[in-house]
Structures are given as structure tokens and as C-alpha cells.
Amino acid sequence: MKLGQRYSICAEWNEHLQRMRGYAALPVCGKKRKYIEGAVHMAYYFMIDTYITEDGNREEYDFYIEKVRPIVESYGGEYLVRTEDVTCLSDKRKPQRVILIRFPSKEDLDECFSSKEYQAIMMKRVNSVDARAVIVEGEP
């Protein structure tokens, strides 16, 4: 197994996964990603519940929705779910919109949402809806 430069996932953990599961986690390194050949990597999922309030500005949020997709995709994000067709199973959690985005790495996710492009539109979302997000690591 070739490792090369500094990775976010340590070599020992990759070797452990290789022995225990038959595959290794896929490390990443900086803007130019270097991967272990044949390895299975862990993806990062960005999950958002959006609560659209009556006093929010729907036009502003719609503008955000239109502009955010190409930014996310330019950083390797892939929309798996982006819908307002939501069935709520709890009275305590009733989002009107749910979004699930898969990123190839935590670094890609962080770079996307800290980018100048995203920062330029972020306040459109902040000022128009209540969005609650979590980041989850998992298999692709």
C-alpha cells in the first residue's frame, strides 16, 4: 500500500481496516487528492432540515437554492436528496425541506462551505429559513 504525503486518515487505521474488513479507508491530502489504489473511502454526508417560516422571505431562499447547487457540485458534493416532499414521523421534527449531500471528503465539505462563492450567498439562507445541519461520516 502506497501512502505518500500527509493524510487525514492515518496509515495504521488503514492497515487495520484492510486486515479486519478487507478494504482500507481512502485518505485524502490537500487540494490534489491522493488515493490508495483499490481502497474504499469514507464519504461525508451533509444533512439539512429546513424549516420555512411564514415570516421568512421565500424569494430570498429560492434565490439561494438556485445558486448553491453549482457551488456544492464544484467541490465534489453530490445531491442525494433535495425535496420538500417530507413525511414527518415526529411532532418534534417537522422540516418543510430536507437536503442530503454526499462529499468525497471532510476537506471538500469544509472547503465548499467556507469558500468565497458560498459565503457570498449564505446570508440569503440565514435570513430566510431556519436550517439545522449535521455532518455524518459513512460509507459511500
Side-chain angles (χ1 to χ4, degrees):
M1 182 176 353
K2 294 182 181 178
L3 292 179
Q5 301 174 342
R6 176 179 64 88
Y7 294 114
S8 63
I9 300 172
C10 71
E12 294 82 18
W13 181 245
N14 273 317
E15 290 170 8
H16 169 75
L17 287 175
Q18 186 71 41
R19 285 192 306 274
M20 300 303 291
R21 299 164 121 185
Y23 62 85
L26 185 61
V28 295
C29 179
K31 202 70 163 148
K32 299 270 185 183
R33 309 284 185 230
K34 293 192 176 185
Y35 303 104
I36 297 174
E37 188 175 326
V40 175
H41 74 285
M42 300 302 279
Y44 283 81
Y45 296 88
F46 191 64
M47 303 179 346
I48 307 102
D49 284 357
T50 303
Y51 300 84
I52 303 166
T53 61
E54 287 184 25
D55 59 337
N57 183 339
R58 183 60 199 228
E59 288 177 12
E60 196 168 21
Y61 184 57
D62 288 340
F63 175 84
Y64 169 85
I65 290 170
E66 178 187 329
K67 299 297 181 187
V68 73
R69 185 177 195 132
I71 296 169
V72 166
E73 291 174 345
S74 74
Y75 285 88
E78 177 185 0
Y79 282 89
L80 303 177
V81 176
R82 192 178 193 205
T83 185
E84 292 183 17
D85 184 15
V86 179
T87 302
C88 300
L89 303 177
S90 167
D91 288 341
K92 294 181 180 180
R93 184 178 180 197
K94 293 183 175 183
Q96 287 83 23
R97 184 174 176 81
V98 174
I99 302 106
L100 176 61
I101 308 167
R102 179 177 49 214
F103 283 89
S105 71
K106 179 75 163 61
E107 290 82 359
D108 291 321
L109 187 153
D110 290 341
E111 288 174 12
C112 175
F113 294 110
S114 63
S115 71
K116 289 179 189 176
E117 300 92 349
Y118 183 76
Q119 294 298 312
I121 65 164
M122 181 181 76
M123 293 310 292
K124 298 285 187 187
R125 176 189 52 78
V126 170
N127 292 332
S128 59
V129 298
D130 175 11
R132 302 171 193 176
V134 296
I135 298 170
V136 180
E137 180 183 25
E139 294 185 23

